[in-house]
Amino acid sequence: MSKTYLNQVEKTKMLVNGLSDNQTLVRNVGISDEQVAELSQIAAEAEVLNKAVDDLRAALSVKTREANRKLVELREKTLAAKRVIKRCYEPERWQNFGILDKR
């Protein structure tokens, strides 16, 4: 995912490690063990979701390339068929074949 997202996850992990290493100090200032555990859990979930998003982007990229190739093939075949009709028939009849071109 984006660098901002990854940076936030990494910063949170570093914070969780620091908070865990200094549990007695942070308890005295109002940060409970449950809050640290929750923060750690959320960071882990964010990391899993980030991987899922990256996997989906990779799959989307592959599908997009496939779709673009198919569209190029479709255009080529369509143009080939239109050329045949345009060579063999007068412009007045092109519309009968689904060709809306004027020339």
Side-chain angles (χ1 to χ4, degrees):
M1 199 164 213
S2 72
K3 286 277 189 194
T4 305
Y5 192 90
L6 291 175
N7 286 341
Q8 185 62 52
V9 171
E10 286 303 314
K11 287 178 184 178
T12 303
K13 284 180 170 181
M14 288 173 35
L15 177 65
V16 166
N17 288 338
L19 293 173
S20 296
D21 291 346
N22 298 290
Q23 286 179 341
T24 54
L25 294 174
V26 297
R27 259 189 240 124
N28 294 336
V29 294
I31 298 176
S32 69
D33 293 342
E34 291 81 26
Q35 287 173 309
V36 175
E38 181 182 19
L39 196 56
S40 177
Q41 179 185 354
I42 292 170
E45 290 171 2
E47 200 167 24
V48 168
L49 290 171
N50 181 52
K51 175 146 179 31
V53 167
D54 285 343
D55 292 345
L56 288 171
R57 281 195 178 139
L60 176 63
S61 180
V62 169
K63 284 294 181 186
T64 300
R65 272 187 253 120
E66 287 178 24
N68 287 340
R69 276 190 232 117
K70 194 53 76 173
L71 182 60
V72 168
E73 181 183 353
L74 177 66
R75 285 180 179 159
E76 290 171 355
K77 301 285 182 185
T78 299
L79 285 173
K82 285 171 81 172
R83 283 187 199 116
V84 170
I85 298 300
K86 287 180 174 184
R87 276 195 311 255
C88 296
Y89 296 97
E90 295 297 318
E92 297 79 33
R93 298 208 41 216
W94 292 354
Q95 204 167 18
N96 296 342
F97 297 97
I99 299 173
L100 302 177
D101 302 354
K102 300 293 181 193
R103 50 187 170 127

